[in-house]
Amino acid sequence: METQQLPIIDMSLPEEEVAKALRHAAETVGFFYLKNHGIEEEEFDRLFDAFKRFFASDMENKMGIHTSKTGGVRGYIGKYEQGNYGIDSTDLRAQEVKDHELSLERKHSTDSVNSNTNVPKGDDGLPMDLKELFTMGTELTDTYQYYKPTLFAKNVFPQQPADFKQVVCGYYERVWGVARRVFALFALSMGLPREFFEDKITKPMNSMNCIHYPPYAGRDPKQLGIGAHTDYECFTLLAQDGVLGLEIFTEAGVWRGVPPIRGAFVVNIGDMMARWTNGRFRSTVHRARNPNAMDRYSCAYFCCCDYDVMLKPLIDADHPRFTEVMAGDHLLQRIERANVYTGEDKQ
């Protein structure tokens, strides 16, 4: 597969220079690498080692924290339990991608050799994701005015590995520190005070997915690890192992791989940031393809704002391109569409 050259942004440079580079990357590609962010390579190694051991454990250990039992989108999510991704109005190109995927569905729907006939499909007619993951996020109690179990349920952790909770929670806190610095850089990139977002991320709807993509040697071109989508939140900080799998949909209308760079995050703009910037920052369509003969692992930290923050343009506000919406309502709708099990099922 051909790969896409992404901008590399160095956080050790002066803030003004970093903010300018970030704005250029956000407006042109919607994806970039972030290096010198303060998290050492050894910490990534510990994280990947911990969740590789979790995914290698028996199903009893994993199913003990399955999301159908945890009261929210927390814990273990198995194969073919996510997919059916909706399209946010911030990215018209997502519809172009969906049309392409559905044309493959029609082309191969009668081909018993190439089609995964036993794989569950979403309302969009495409196979659900071939992946398993552990997910966690912000914990809040039901006394919070906007409490939703899907977004704020208590985190749960497996019995094995014994050090899993310590390693994963330590990483989660460290990445949030990086994310707060990136929020400040986004503010500066828009000509706003660096602290502009601080009062909007006091109870953020953050979440983190540790993902295992098993190898897939089948012949169905529609089967993916994660189907084509845009991220729902403000931005994502993605850590990858050394295996290629992430792909972005380019301006040329083709898919290109995003190779991992050791120690660097891949950052992409989400729907909320696209809405705040009135579409100037690009929430780019992407997907993940399973390797043919090896396992792939990644960890996505979804950086978000508070539930009650209104998503309205901060740029060219007199000419809004999108309907104003509360951030939590937007996120909840997207998550419920994409997940087989959510906490709202139990209310």
Side-chain angles (χ1 to χ4, degrees):
M1 170 189 294
E2 294 187 43
T3 57
Q4 177 72 23
Q5 192 129 23
L6 297 181
I8 301 176
I9 296 179
D10 186 345
M11 286 190 77
S12 67
L13 297 175
E15 273 194 340
E16 296 78 6
E17 186 175 339
V18 177
K20 182 179 179 180
L22 186 153
R23 179 173 182 134
H24 176 74
E27 290 181 340
T28 57
V29 187
F31 270 78
F32 55 91
Y33 295 104
L34 191 67
K35 69 176 186 177
N36 292 327
H37 40 65
I39 297 181
E40 300 297 327
E41 292 179 3
E42 292 74 20
E43 190 161 353
F44 289 116
D45 292 341
R46 286 193 296 272
L47 174 74
F48 279 97
D49 175 69
F51 71 75
K52 285 179 182 180
R53 286 183 283 128
F54 167 67
F55 289 124
S57 68
D58 58 45
M59 286 304 297
E60 182 179 1
N61 183 51
K62 292 188 279 191
M63 291 303 293
I65 57 165
H66 189 264
T67 50
S68 62
K69 306 173 183 176
T70 60
V73 183
R74 298 289 186 268
Y76 176 71
I77 296 175
K79 299 173 185 176
Y80 311 120
E81 292 181 358
Q82 285 188 331
N84 193 39
Y85 300 106
I87 301 169
D88 187 62
S89 59
T90 56
D91 201 327
L92 299 179
R93 295 172 67 244
Q95 184 61 56
E96 179 183 343
V97 175
K98 287 295 182 184
D99 291 344
H100 173 71
E101 302 288 312
L102 288 172
S103 71
L104 286 177
E105 167 66 20
R106 289 189 291 270
K107 179 179 179 181
H108 297 282
S109 61
T110 59
D111 187 340
S112 60
V113 174
N114 289 339
S115 182
N116 278 352
T117 56
N118 296 324
V119 171
K121 292 180 171 59
D123 294 339
D124 55 10
L126 299 172
M128 300 290 274
D129 297 345
L130 179 52
K131 70 176 189 294
E132 57 179 345
L133 62 96
F134 168 83
T135 185
M136 62 180 292
T138 300
E139 290 185 10
L140 294 174
T141 68
D142 60 9
T143 59
Y144 176 50
Q145 180 182 358
Y146 299 101
Y147 179 82
K148 299 288 184 181
T150 293
L151 303 176
F152 301 119
K154 184 177 177 61
N155 290 312
V156 294
F157 301 93
Q159 293 186 349
Q160 298 296 328
D163 63 344
F164 185 86
K165 179 178 180 180
Q166 177 185 2
V167 172
V168 172
C169 288
Y171 176 83
Y172 185 93
E173 291 303 319
R174 293 271 287 144
V175 178
W176 178 230
V178 175
R180 291 184 66 176
R181 293 168 59 200
V182 175
F183 267 113
L185 291 167
F186 273 119
L188 292 172
S189 76
M190 297 179 215
L192 301 168
R194 72 182 313 279
E195 67 276 5
F196 176 82
F197 289 110
E198 280 297 310
D199 65 349
K200 300 167 183 62
I201 54 173
T202 61
K203 294 180 175 64
M205 300 174 290
N206 297 344
S207 63
M208 185 173 81
N209 289 351
C210 301
I211 310 170
H212 168 222
Y213 301 95
Y216 177 68
R219 297 172 59 186
D220 187 347
K222 306 180 300 299
Q223 182 62 71
L224 297 168
I226 298 181
H229 66 287
T230 58
D231 285 355
Y232 320 146
E233 298 83 1
C234 301
F235 58 92
T236 303
L237 296 172
L238 178 74
Q240 303 185 84
D241 68 358
V243 180
L244 183 65
L246 174 63
E247 301 175 355
I248 66 172
F249 195 64
T250 68
E251 276 298 291
V254 294
W255 290 102
R256 291 285 184 262
V258 178
I261 295 179
R262 181 166 167 77
F265 284 114
V266 174
V267 184
N268 65 278
I269 306 301
D271 298 339
M272 294 183 184
M273 193 64 71
R275 285 173 174 269
W276 269 330
T277 60
N278 216 12
R280 189 170 297 182
F281 287 7
R282 305 185 58 165
S283 182
T284 298
V285 183
H286 55 288
R287 68 186 186 185
R289 186 174 293 282
N290 301 70
N292 289 332
M294 64 184 70
D295 297 276
R296 176 177 177 260
Y297 301 88
S298 69
C299 186
Y301 192 108
F302 302 105
C303 307
C304 205
C305 60
D306 296 352
Y307 192 110
D308 59 343
V309 173
M310 298 305 297
L311 300 177
K312 54 186 178 180
L314 304 173
I315 296 174
D316 199 16
D318 293 336
H319 301 90
R321 294 179 56 192
F322 314 109
T323 302
E324 188 174 318
V325 63
M326 189 177 290
D329 293 342
H330 162 81
L331 183 60
L332 192 64
Q333 185 271 329
R334 298 294 302 274
I335 290 176
E336 289 181 341
R337 175 180 172 127
N339 285 268
V340 173
Y341 302 102
T342 71
E344 311 313 309
D345 302 330
K346 297 176 174 58
Q347 289 195 318

